[in-house]
Amino acid sequence: MYEIGEEEIEALARLIRGKKLFRFGGTPEKPTETDLFERELGAHMGAKHTLAVNSGTSALICALVGAGVEPGDEVLVPGYTFMATALAVLNIGAVPVLTEVDAGLMLDPLDVARKIGPRTKAIVPVHMMGHVADLEPILKIAGERNVMVIEDACQCVGGSYRGKRTGTWGRAGAYSFNFYKILTCGEGGAMVTSDETVWQRARIQHDTGTAWRDDAPELKVPVFAGENYRFDEMRAAVMRVQLKRLEGILSRLRARNLGLRERLGRPETFEFAPVHDLAGFAGTAMFLRLENRAQAQAFAAEAAKQQLGAGLPYDSGRHVYSNWEPLIKRRGAFHPARDPLATTEAGKAQAYTVDALPRTLEHLARTVSVGIGLDWTEQQLDEAAAKLKLCGKHAAAPVSAQ
Ligand SMILES: *Cc1c(COP(=O)(O)O)cnc(C)c1O
């Protein structure tokens, strides 16, 4: 959460006084808050269709179901992402294939090319910590090998790659509005797509198989049993205000991120991890690369002493594949009969070992992430830069000298 306040309170109060809390039932003359939010978010991102749902995980599930990923299909996911990316794949009966990340901690196009096989249906690049994945080579490979790209932009709402928003490059994209994301209504998410069939199937999946609502579009796809991931009017009221804050939040974060970079100049004791689009990334964090894990740990320890918000992606728990218990323990569902790891050839063939992605572990081990403050002043930026240089010196010093 970056910013929330009086405007959200007023929007929520107005909504509650109106006593209409259900997202459907709008008309062209009197759209619901959710109708309006979907329209505004789609227009902002440049997507034809938007479906607001109750979480980023649900948005991913809607994207996969909508795009026609089927049980037993393989879906490439990076080894560094929140576990939900891989679990959404399992949830629909498909099989996540662990794929390496590059030095910038984003899905590595080279390993994508290696891991695509005859059963691969989709690739899910993830835009982690406001950074953007290297989409162009990934889209090129996907086109050549006839697989779909579905973007997980849960941590990069509003970011862009080469001038086009994250989430809108592939067949479908997913955003999250949970408490820790750039925009928030506590919990929530949205799927965007410019494909009518994807949107219609996602609608059915998210609304218990609904084809019968008065304001439902005329369905061109057969109905099927779905679940309930519906958004609600209170969240929509909050999100419409949040969306108005988006560009302000992003420009402040980017300015401070780039300002800090500039102040660090050409650091001697560490380097900047590659960023695939410095103009379009969301700026929420900065990734610094050290020589090895020991140096990264020493850097982070010193940063903690200096009260600087720095972390070790290697230690970020469920964001690293080796900590994804349901995969490592091969428990892909609540019952083996529903578990693609037990019931499909693709699932049985996957070996989810903790050392499956050595390059990912090495990149993670060498990296320190620095959180960027939305309101940092010039003076605070000077201080942060000085502290980071100190951390770098500390990390690079021989152990005996510390
Ligand atoms: C937060 C997040 C999700 C899941 O979003 P929820 O709203 O928590 O369900 C998926 N992928 C990534 C990369 C995330 O950061």
Side-chain angles (χ1 to χ4, degrees):
M1 197 265 295
Y2 282 98
E3 264 191 344
I4 195 159
E6 287 306 314
E7 268 195 85
E8 282 86 351
I9 294 171
E10 278 166 30
L12 206 43
R14 216 178 312 120
L15 197 272
I16 292 170
R17 287 195 193 99
K19 294 193 162 53
K20 288 209 171 71
L21 305 186
F22 193 57
R23 74 140 295 175
F24 288 119
T27 62
E29 304 78 48
K30 246 184 158 283
T32 65
E33 285 290 312
T34 308
D35 291 336
L36 292 170
F37 171 59
E38 288 178 337
R39 227 180 271 171
E40 289 159 3
L41 183 68
H44 199 97
M45 299 304 180
K48 215 157 147 192
H49 303 288
T50 304
L51 185 69
V53 291
N54 60 354
S55 73
T57 307
S58 299
L60 282 168
I61 292 170
C62 283
L64 293 162
V65 169
V69 176
E70 295 174 8
D73 286 342
E74 290 178 354
V75 178
L76 270 50
V77 300
Y80 175 56
T81 175
F82 181 51
M83 181 166 74
T85 314
L87 301 198
V89 173
L90 283 175
N91 181 282
I92 68 150
V95 175
V97 173
L98 299 175
T99 309
E100 301 270 20
V101 297
D102 59 23
L105 303 189
M106 304 296 119
L107 186 64
D108 182 358
L110 295 174
D111 203 41
V112 166
R114 274 192 294 267
K115 296 269 165 78
I116 291 178
R119 287 190 283 239
T120 311
K121 190 64 122 350
I123 306 167
V124 185
V126 183
H127 307 293
M128 283 299 279
M129 297 194 84
H131 288 61
V132 291
D134 200 6
L135 290 175
E136 196 164 70
I138 293 171
L139 284 156
K140 185 164 176 281
I141 300 162
E144 286 164 4
R145 307 287 291 272
N146 198 27
V147 301
M148 293 181 281
V149 170
I150 290 169
E151 284 173 86
D152 180 339
C154 287
Q155 296 192 15
C156 198
V157 173
S160 63
Y161 176 84
R162 315 235 158 131
K164 186 171 150 70
R165 301 278 183 177
T166 50
T168 65
W169 281 86
R171 189 68 57 94
Y175 301 127
S176 168
F177 312 130
N178 90 21
F179 180 69
Y180 298 99
K181 307 299 159 91
I182 296 171
L183 301 185
T184 188
C185 55
E187 296 280 1
M191 183 205 78
V192 287
T193 182
S194 289
D195 185 305
E196 172 98 16
T197 301
V198 172
W199 176 64
Q200 290 208 352
R201 285 176 58 84
R203 251 189 87 110
I204 295 169
Q205 172 69 16
H206 106 293
D207 189 20
T208 33
T210 294
W212 41 269
R213 297 204 186 276
D214 288 344
D215 57 337
E218 201 179 319
L219 285 182
K220 296 177 188 143
V221 298
V223 77
F224 54 86
E227 299 186 57
N228 176 5
Y229 321 143
R230 283 190 305 266
F231 211 50
D232 67 78
E233 292 287 273
M234 293 195 277
R235 296 189 219 197
V238 171
M239 282 309 300
R240 290 186 70 204
V241 180
Q242 285 277 298
L243 184 59
K244 282 196 245 157
R245 299 186 190 272
L246 178 60
E247 293 309 312
I249 291 173
L250 292 176
S251 67
R252 282 154 69 193
L253 285 170
R254 279 185 192 129
R256 283 160 183 79
N257 197 312
L258 296 176
L260 183 56
R261 245 180 125 86
E262 203 180 293
R263 282 165 173 82
L264 290 169
R266 286 170 156 270
E268 283 165 24
T269 50
F270 55 86
E271 56 186 44
F272 297 113
V275 179
H276 300 299
D277 192 325
L278 259 181
F281 82 146
T284 51
M286 178 184 277
F287 290 142
L288 304 176
R289 255 168 93 78
L290 282 294
E291 281 292 318
N292 51 45
R293 174 144 168 85
Q295 283 201 7
Q297 284 172 320
F299 191 106
E302 183 61 25
K305 262 194 236 160
Q306 306 268 352
Q307 303 197 316
L308 202 66
L312 295 166
Y314 190 94
D315 294 337
S316 60
R318 296 287 166 357
H319 296 86
V320 181
Y321 76 93
S322 53
N323 300 315
W324 298 347
E325 255 189 324
L327 262 71
I328 302 294
K329 295 192 169 163
R330 301 193 67 84
R331 294 182 66 85
F334 67 91
H335 188 283
R338 293 280 292 267
D339 181 356
L341 305 183
T343 59
T344 71
E345 289 309 308
K348 287 180 209 163
Q350 292 301 314
Y352 298 113
T353 57
V354 293
D355 53 3
L357 302 177
R359 297 197 11 256
T360 294
L361 293 180
E362 203 215 318
H363 290 315
L364 289 168
R366 294 178 55 176
T367 308
V368 173
S369 69
V370 181
I372 302 298
L374 186 66
D375 295 314
W376 279 354
T377 60
E378 296 288 319
Q379 194 196 330
Q380 283 172 307
L381 280 168
D382 290 342
E383 285 167 12
K387 285 178 181 177
L388 287 173
K389 283 181 189 168
L390 209 71
C391 292
K393 272 201 191 120
H394 194 87
V399 176
S400 58
Q402 288 180 13

